[in-house]
Amino acid sequence: MLSGSAYLWIKAVHVIAIISWMAGLLYLPRLFVYHCTARPRSETSETFKIMERRLIKAIMTPAMVVAWTLGLVMAVDGGLFSQGWFHLKLACVAAMTAAHFFLARCKDAFAEDRNTRPEKFYRVINEVPTLLMIVIVIVVIVKPF
């Protein structure tokens, strides 16, 4: 069992990691929207490639790993796997992780100048993390079941 102080520090870092991860999940598709309008191999396109790569490698992926790791530590410590609301939260976090990896594949397509999706696709896909976040926050705060 974690001490009260340790638990609070873990929870604080977990929330910081979530905020960082969410920022990336919301920003990366927006970069893709603008990247769609850039001519392949242009200076603008090459700048977007650098921004997208750094966002995923330096911010999003480390934040996701920290969020998952500390979230699981708290879940095990708190015995949350037996609670129904936690199952829904976990499913939404798994979907968020799938979105992360999908966006990473999109980033690879842009990096290789082989993106075939239009701007509108990225505008729509940008809403997925937002919807998942809304469900997660409500489920964690309200604990409806």
Side-chain angles (χ1 to χ4, degrees):
M1 201 86 191
L2 294 168
S3 72
S5 177
Y7 179 84
L8 292 176
W9 276 104
I10 289 170
K11 189 175 186 179
V13 174
H14 176 70
V15 171
I16 292 165
I18 291 166
I19 291 168
S20 300
W21 187 25
M22 284 303 305
L25 286 168
L26 297 172
Y27 184 48
L28 188 59
R30 179 57 54 193
L31 286 176
F32 293 159
V33 167
Y34 300 127
H35 198 160
C36 284
T37 65
R39 204 174 63 257
R41 295 178 198 69
S42 67
E43 185 176 338
T44 303
S45 178
E46 296 307 310
T47 300
F48 279 124
K49 289 176 188 180
I50 292 167
M51 293 169 67
E52 293 156 1
R53 185 186 75 242
R54 288 181 179 168
L55 182 59
I56 288 206
K57 297 226 183 250
I59 297 171
M60 291 173 64
T61 299
M64 177 186 68
V65 170
V66 171
W68 264 104
T69 301
L70 297 182
L72 289 173
V73 166
M74 290 187 297
V76 168
D77 185 67
L80 300 181
F81 288 95
S82 64
Q83 299 185 28
W85 68 267
F86 185 74
H87 296 155
L88 178 56
K89 179 198 177 187
L90 198 57
C92 289
V93 174
M96 192 89 74
T97 303
H100 174 104
F101 286 110
F102 174 78
L103 293 173
R105 284 195 310 275
C106 293
K107 185 265 308 168
D108 293 341
F110 276 108
E112 297 167 3
D113 293 318
R114 56 177 178 78
N115 173 60
T116 58
R117 294 184 172 96
E119 288 176 56
K120 186 172 183 170
F121 174 82
Y122 295 109
R123 289 182 192 280
V124 172
I125 205 75
N126 195 332
E127 303 308 320
V128 171
T130 303
L131 296 173
L132 290 168
M133 176 193 62
I134 291 168
V135 172
I136 291 167
V137 169
I138 290 171
V139 167
V140 169
I141 301 297
V142 177
K143 294 180 179 66
F145 47 88

